[in-house]
């Protein structure tokens, strides 16, 4: 990323340039990103190609003022952090599904970030409802966050009996929310291009939940969340209060995308794989 792209990105998320790549600055950038850039899978249902190349992703997030799913959001956020002086590793993860089953390889992309103070954090702005702030990567106790109680723990063996390979301290990690494992994290650094197969599967497979549903979601200024799923607009306040409204017309849907998420669309996306919703 060049300096003009960095400035445009910071403007996009409403964040001032950090003076140094510190942990405090990382926390601020992380929250600003979650508030400004929605987690969304609209490209899949609009017939837009998802290309895991830095320029294409920046064009989408900055130029088109869109969001994306994990590969896009953490891919661009990782590029921004590296440009700001952080040491960033892209990590692959497998998401826990129904019955505790693990998803496909390269199911998810998260970031390991080292600061100027020498601390290491797990940053993730691409997992939907997750932590509002980065988690301490080496901490194994409870980590309170507005998004819930998180823990990062050594993972047990996978269904094949493997623990991730390498020395014990370099084995896989489980990211846990409220006692429920969310995803299993590999500790070996990856390149953005390594995730192309995962992005292709999630954007094309009838087994992917992304092809069977529409989602657009972000954290609100008060720490709540607003989500548009198809024609259902859901709000969750920071105190847990919930509201739901059904949008009757296409114009209402397009207005919600524009006013609530800053996304300008010329037409309402329709679910690509309707069979999963019948």
């Amino acid at each position: 990323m060049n300096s003009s792209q960095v400035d445009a990105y910071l403007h996009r998320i409403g964040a001032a340039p950090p003076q140094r790549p510190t942990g405090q600055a990382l926390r601020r950038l992380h929250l600003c990103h979650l508030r400004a850039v929605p987690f969304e899978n609209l490209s899949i249902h609009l017939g837009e190609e998802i290309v895991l190349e830095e320029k294409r992703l920046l064009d989408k997030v900055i130029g088109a003022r869109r969001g994306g799913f994990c590969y896009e959001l953490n891919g661009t956020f990782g590029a921004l952090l590296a440009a700001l002086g952080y040491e960033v590793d892209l990590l692959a993860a497998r998401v826990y599904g129904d019955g505790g089953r693990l998803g496909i390889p390269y199911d998810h992309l998260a970031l390991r970030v080292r600061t100027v103070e020498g601390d290491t954090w797990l940053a993730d702005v691409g997992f939907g409802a997750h932590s509002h702030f980065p988690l301490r990567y080496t901490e194994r106790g409870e980590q309170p966050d507005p998004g819930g109680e998180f823990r990062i723990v050594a993972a047990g063996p996978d269904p094949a009996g493997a623990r991730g390979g390498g020395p014990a301290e370099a084995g896989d990690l489980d990211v846990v929310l409220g006692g429920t494992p969310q995803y299993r994290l590999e500790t070996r650094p990856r390149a953005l291009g390594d995730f192309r197969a995962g992005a292709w599967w999630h954007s094309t497979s009838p087994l992917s939940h992304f092809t069977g549903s529409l989602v657009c979601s972000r954290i609100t200024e008060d720490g709540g969340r607003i989500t548009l799923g198809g024609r259902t607009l859901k709000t969750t306040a920071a105190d847990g209060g919930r509201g739901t409204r059904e949008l009757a017309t296409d114009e209402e849907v397009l207005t919600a995308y524009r006013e609530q998420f800053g996304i300008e669309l010329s037409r309402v996306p329709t679910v690509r794989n309707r069979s999963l919703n019948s």
Side-chain angles (χ1 to χ4, degrees):
M1 291 181 66
N2 57 42
S3 59
S4 63
Q5 290 172 319
V6 170
D7 290 343
Y9 203 140
L10 292 172
H11 183 265
R12 167 81 170 93
I13 65 175
Q19 295 184 347
R20 300 168 67 231
T22 64
Q24 182 178 2
L26 175 62
R27 285 172 57 84
R28 184 177 70 252
L29 292 166
H30 198 275
L31 183 59
C32 285
H33 203 288
L34 289 169
R35 287 173 172 171
V37 184
F39 177 87
E40 50 105 334
N41 67 340
L42 305 184
S43 287
I44 294 171
H45 305 287
L46 290 168
E48 299 171 350
E49 185 181 15
I50 296 172
V51 181
L52 297 190
E53 296 174 358
E54 183 175 301
K55 182 183 183 303
R56 292 285 294 270
L57 297 182
L58 292 175
D59 286 345
K60 181 177 180 180
V61 172
I62 299 174
R65 300 188 67 82
R66 286 281 301 279
F69 56 178
C70 68
Y71 313 105
E72 300 168 288
L73 299 183
N74 283 323
T76 53
F77 189 50
L80 172 67
L81 295 177
L84 292 172
Y86 292 95
E87 295 181 32
V88 181
D89 292 324
L90 309 185
L91 301 183
R94 298 173 68 187
V95 178
Y96 281 95
D98 295 338
R101 292 189 297 271
L102 288 168
I104 64 169
Y106 300 101
D107 202 11
H108 180 60
L109 187 164
L111 304 172
R112 182 169 57 205
V113 183
R114 297 179 184 86
T115 68
V116 69
E117 302 101 333
D119 297 324
T120 306
W121 300 83
L122 176 66
D124 193 342
V125 296
F127 197 65
H130 196 57
S131 66
H132 294 203
F133 297 101
L135 302 174
R136 290 190 176 274
Y137 183 81
T138 58
E139 172 60 50
R140 296 295 175 259
E142 294 288 345
Q143 299 194 51
D145 180 89
E149 293 282 338
F150 288 84
R151 292 185 69 194
I152 300 175
V153 300
D158 66 14
R163 292 180 178 269
E169 63 272 15
D172 293 347
L173 300 171
D174 277 344
V175 178
V176 181
L177 169 59
T180 302
Q182 302 297 294
Y183 56 79
R184 176 163 295 194
L185 193 69
E186 297 179 4
T187 56
R188 172 185 170 183
R190 302 290 183 175
L192 183 59
D194 293 340
F195 294 87
R196 288 172 183 153
W200 175 84
W201 188 89
H202 274 301
S203 59
T204 61
S205 172
L207 299 179
S208 168
H209 60 276
F210 286 118
T211 62
S213 63
L214 279 160
V215 64
C216 187
S217 183
R218 68 172 181 86
I219 290 176
T220 56
E221 292 296 319
D222 65 357
R225 178 170 289 277
I226 185 164
T227 301
L228 179 56
R231 293 181 178 271
T232 303
L233 186 65
K234 297 180 179 180
T235 56
T236 304
D239 62 5
R242 297 175 182 272
T244 301
R245 182 163 65 95
E246 293 297 325
L247 307 180
T249 67
D250 285 0
E251 185 55 39
E252 286 183 284
V253 175
L254 294 175
T255 298
Y257 279 124
R258 181 174 61 252
E259 294 183 351
Q260 302 298 336
F261 304 100
I263 295 177
E264 291 279 357
L265 297 178
S266 60
R267 63 183 175 91
V268 173
T270 56
V271 174
R272 175 175 179 168
N273 192 339
R274 292 185 179 277
S275 65
L276 295 184
N277 295 288
S278 58

